[in-house]
Amino acid sequence: IAPIIDQAFEHKNLLAQDNIIWERKDGRKRTFLIRVAISLIGDDSMGAVITFDDITELESAQRKAAWGDVARRIAHEIKNPLTPIQLATERLKRKYEQKFEDKEDREIFQGCTETIIRHVSDIQNMVNEFSTFARMPSAKMSETDVEKICREVIVFYRQTYPDIKFSLENTSKAKYKLRADENLLHQAITNVVKNAIEAIQEANTEKPQIAILLQYSKKELVIKVLDNGPGLKPDMKEKVLEPYITTKEKGSGLGLAIVKRIIEEHKGSLDIEKSSLKKYQKFGFDKGVAFIIHLPNDSI
Ligand SMILES: Nc1ncnc2c1ncn2[C@@H]1O[C@H](COP(=O)(O)OP(=O)(O)OP(=O)(O)O)[C@@H](O)[C@H]1O
Ligand SMILES: [Mg+2]
């Protein structure tokens, strides 16, 4: 806070303020609004009054609201032209389909118009789902076996990517069920694992591997998703969790923002391992990236 105090004194501002992020020992962050007010008598300062406001909740609510707003607007703008595209294509199909003398021409025409109609309907479904999500339905909590969800995600991807070595490990002796929304957690873990796969593939990583480590404690369940891909550039670490940050040609940059939202709905947090992955050597990792999800055990 020294710079804020200096600023207040330097410019003889009566009030200087700034947000400061404090990281607690357990890695959780809280944001404080610090205000420094100086009392002046003539030109002499009498001293300063410093106030600390914990605005973590407020800030997160504001960010969520802004995010939801952007998402809804984009969904809306995408949806607008879809119905006309669909109707126009159906009309073309009805009107001209039978006019082709040549069988091959007719088949091409049918094939193409059907492709358009099918894909438009896919986009429509996707956008609908997306805008439902942006409206932030509250998570439907029930007793959930997170390990089972992780196993399902791994089994699914193992089939598709047999060259990648997938593993799942509970590094604690304990295991318990959490109150969580199974579908949302499934979506979150899938997004993180999908990113890991994409990173590995893009970099053509040798001996590619992805691991999910689960660590149950009394207080919380920590889920770590590790990959030995190229890792994140330092400047990316700061912002990958924000919406629309992507390095992929076809990426939306929403994957991790959605994960973060889901985890926050569960009163948990999503972080990126700051230090090197060397400490995961016993699991076979010395480079790459680890995404860390904390889910509080709210049954205690
Ligand atoms: N495991 C990882 N290794 C390296 N880079 C990663 C990893 N996970 C995410 N990133 C980086 O973070 C960016 C943001 O990821 P995010 O999931 O939010 O969006 P995306 O994957 O680009 O798009 P979408 O999820 O819509 O396909 C990615 O473009 C990539 O650059
Ligand atoms: Mg992604």
Side-chain angles (χ1 to χ4, degrees):
I1 39 176
I4 310 174
I5 301 176
D6 287 346
Q7 195 197 342
F9 277 103
E10 244 171 58
H11 302 291
K12 292 236 162 33
N13 278 352
L14 291 183
L15 185 73
Q17 61 177 46
D18 205 354
N19 290 353
I20 286 199
I21 298 172
W22 252 305
E23 192 166 336
R24 298 200 305 211
K25 276 205 187 107
D26 61 4
R28 297 202 179 190
K29 291 182 188 133
R30 300 211 65 93
T31 310
F32 288 86
L33 171 66
I34 315 282
R35 288 198 183 98
V36 179
I38 324 173
S39 315
L40 286 177
I41 293 187
D43 263 351
D44 289 337
S45 54
M46 303 277 295
V49 176
I50 307 175
T51 59
F52 299 74
D53 277 309
D54 184 340
I55 55 164
T56 316
E57 267 25 276
L58 180 72
E59 208 192 35
S60 145
Q62 273 172 350
R63 225 180 306 126
K64 270 192 205 168
W67 192 90
D69 197 41
V70 173
R72 261 197 305 280
R73 273 162 55 186
I74 291 183
H76 183 251
E77 294 311 306
I78 293 175
K79 250 195 298 195
N80 275 346
L82 290 182
T83 311
I85 295 176
Q86 192 183 6
L87 292 178
T89 318
E90 278 168 359
R91 182 144 177 253
L92 278 176
K93 188 162 179 274
R94 254 198 330 270
K95 195 143 188 226
Y96 296 102
E97 198 171 25
Q98 302 308 327
K99 299 228 162 120
F100 289 98
E101 308 273 309
D102 186 60
K103 184 164 170 271
E104 200 190 325
D105 284 348
R106 185 164 59 239
E107 278 172 5
I108 293 175
F109 183 81
Q110 274 171 340
C112 292
T113 43
E114 273 158 23
T115 306
I116 299 175
I117 293 168
R118 196 176 58 240
H119 284 286
V120 165
S121 134
D122 284 351
I123 300 175
Q124 237 149 12
N125 288 339
M126 211 166 67
V127 174
N128 280 343
E129 244 172 68
F130 180 72
S131 53
T132 320
F133 189 81
R135 239 175 274 130
M136 281 193 284
S138 50
K140 292 182 195 66
M141 305 293 191
S142 62
E143 294 263 293
T144 300
D145 182 347
V146 179
E147 192 171 327
K148 182 176 138 249
I149 299 178
C150 295
R151 206 175 309 116
E152 282 168 3
V153 174
I154 284 188
V155 167
F156 174 77
Y157 280 123
R158 202 177 262 150
Q159 283 164 357
T160 327
Y161 302 98
D163 295 341
I164 302 176
K165 182 180 161 226
F166 289 94
S167 55
L168 171 64
E169 218 158 321
N170 180 352
T171 60
S172 50
K173 289 216 176 72
K175 177 182 167 176
Y176 49 76
K177 289 193 172 177
L178 278 177
R179 283 189 60 73
D181 185 313
E182 187 169 335
N183 291 334
L184 289 181
L185 278 192
H186 195 281
Q187 190 182 354
I189 293 165
T190 299
N191 274 348
V192 179
V193 173
K194 184 171 145 267
N195 278 344
I197 295 172
E198 286 165 353
I200 279 175
Q201 286 198 313
E202 205 196 344
N204 249 324
T205 304
E206 266 179 50
K207 295 198 180 151
Q209 58 170 340
I210 294 172
I212 304 183
L213 309 180
L214 298 175
Q215 200 178 344
Y216 290 87
S217 71
K218 221 171 172 183
K219 193 176 84 190
E220 61 180 4
L221 164 60
V222 183
I223 309 169
K224 297 186 178 175
V225 181
L226 279 62
D227 70 72
N228 64 346
L232 287 163
K233 291 195 194 79
D235 65 318
M236 284 295 282
K237 274 195 187 176
E238 297 292 316
K239 51 186 189 196
V240 278
L241 304 183
E242 288 168 23
Y244 308 114
I245 300 292
T246 182
T247 52
K248 299 171 194 164
E249 211 175 301
K250 289 198 175 149
S252 71
L254 285 176
L256 288 173
I258 289 174
V259 175
K260 185 159 187 275
R261 267 251 330 264
I262 292 175
I263 301 305
E264 282 172 358
E265 288 260 301
H266 287 81
K267 306 214 166 17
S269 62
L270 170 68
D271 299 294
I272 299 162
E273 180 66 67
K274 287 191 194 68
S275 49
S276 96
L277 292 209
K278 291 241 155 56
K279 62 177 168 189
Y280 301 107
Q281 235 154 10
K282 69 170 174 182
F283 300 101
F285 291 84
D286 57 2
K287 69 169 183 75
V289 47
F291 283 89
I292 305 175
I293 296 171
H294 293 264
L295 287 176
N297 177 9
D298 56 6
S299 64
I300 50 171

